[in-house]
Amino acid sequence: MGVRLRLIALLFSVSLVLTGCVTTDGRPVNESRAVVDYMNLAKGYLQEGYSERAVKPLERALEIEPDSPGVHGMLGMAYQRQGEDRLAEKAFNRALSIDPDASDIRNNFGAFLFSKSRLKETYRQFELASQDVSYSQSSRTFENMGVVALRLGKLELAAEHFTRALRLNSNLPRANLELAAIYQGEGNLYKGWQHYQAFDESAEQSARSLLLGIELATANGAHGKAASYGLRLERLYPGSVELKQYR
């Protein structure tokens, strides 16, 4: 089923809920289902890049359930995609005022704040989300905290967060790459190489990561790997600063 047909199917299901079964005062019998369908429709629009179309079904959902943290949180994402920063922040704050324990919304709000370089506020949102031990994306939260700590220049704290993230989920390329760089900077080249190899198994390479790989592989006597990374750097990033440094 194509994108257009999927969205039409979602819209049709919402229409059935709203018009096919109502109470005497005109409200849907199954209001919860209607809210879910509107959210699914909005989610479909967001996933396909139609952020402006996502707002209307979310507004309709709020007419049914004004205090739904999930709807307000998704509305924040829709406004963020549109560049409506004031409205996005208002929606995220409204969602969290209704449900302060909504870790997924805190993560999304943190990502929004990070995009605005509001690092201390970003860190606080991720920190609050990390306290939810039942949150299914805790590893990503700790990884996010590590990234923010790096931006704040707190390398030791960043290493703690990346290590915690990898304890929860060993398949996190960003955490492994950043730990490799941190350990290289500290002179622990063997440990840096271990994390780099874990990164190399599960992620696409950038110019930065390839140069780091060359340096760590060379330092650990893996000259074949170093040569391979060098060839890839020349082929994939011919005009990069990293290639000039390598040469």
Side-chain angles (χ1 to χ4, degrees):
M1 186 181 292
V3 171
R4 184 177 178 82
L5 290 178
R6 288 201 304 271
L7 293 175
I8 289 174
L10 277 170
L11 183 58
F12 184 62
S13 69
V14 172
S15 160
L16 285 177
V17 171
L18 292 181
T19 62
C21 188
V22 297
T23 61
T24 55
D25 63 358
R27 298 186 66 190
V29 171
N30 193 342
E31 294 183 343
S32 295
R33 174 61 188 274
V35 171
V36 169
D37 285 342
Y38 275 132
M39 290 182 70
N40 285 336
L41 178 59
K43 184 178 180 180
Y45 281 137
L46 288 173
Q47 289 176 338
E48 302 299 339
Y50 301 115
S51 59
E52 63 181 0
R53 299 182 186 179
V55 173
K56 183 57 69 176
L58 292 172
E59 290 178 339
R60 293 292 298 274
L62 288 176
E63 290 174 5
I64 301 169
E65 192 175 340
D67 293 327
S68 167
V71 176
H72 283 288
M74 192 175 291
L75 193 58
M77 294 176 65
Y79 283 135
Q80 179 183 356
R81 298 275 184 88
Q82 295 178 41
E84 297 287 351
D85 294 346
R86 183 183 61 80
L87 293 174
E89 185 165 357
K90 180 179 179 181
F92 283 128
N93 279 321
R94 176 61 178 148
L96 291 171
S97 71
I98 299 168
D99 184 5
D101 298 322
S103 300
D104 54 340
I105 297 174
R106 285 205 181 278
N107 250 329
N108 291 334
F109 188 29
F112 166 76
L113 294 168
F114 185 78
S115 72
K116 303 305 166 189
S117 298
R118 293 162 59 178
L119 299 181
K120 291 183 179 180
E121 295 172 81
T122 300
Y123 187 86
R124 180 57 179 162
Q125 291 302 322
F126 291 149
E127 185 178 38
L128 289 169
S130 74
Q131 295 171 8
D132 181 1
V133 295
S134 64
Y135 182 41
S136 63
Q137 296 295 317
S138 290
S139 60
R140 297 289 184 182
T141 302
F142 282 106
E143 185 179 49
N144 289 339
M145 291 172 71
V147 171
V148 179
L150 273 183
R151 287 281 297 272
L152 290 170
K154 300 180 178 181
L155 297 185
E156 185 176 346
L157 182 62
E160 289 178 10
H161 291 320
F162 289 133
T163 300
R164 178 72 180 276
L166 289 171
R167 286 197 190 115
L168 296 170
N169 179 3
S170 61
N171 188 29
L172 292 174
R174 180 70 183 271
N176 273 311
L177 178 64
E178 299 302 346
L179 276 175
I182 289 171
Y183 284 125
Q184 182 202 38
E186 294 177 347
N188 193 337
L189 300 176
Y190 176 70
K191 201 163 185 177
W193 178 231
Q194 287 182 310
H195 281 288
Y196 184 85
Q197 290 178 95
F199 159 80
D200 191 25
E201 292 174 359
S202 59
E204 293 184 7
Q205 295 276 9
S206 65
R208 176 211 174 198
S209 66
L210 284 169
L211 180 60
L212 178 62
I214 293 167
E215 294 169 348
L216 287 170
T218 301
N220 284 274
H223 299 295
K225 280 283 190 180
S228 174
Y229 295 144
L231 289 173
R232 289 166 69 183
L233 182 60
E234 291 181 347
R235 177 169 54 87
L236 297 174
Y237 304 100
S240 65
V241 173
E242 288 81 3
L243 181 58
K244 292 178 182 178
Q245 292 175 343
Y246 169 56
R247 287 175 172 170

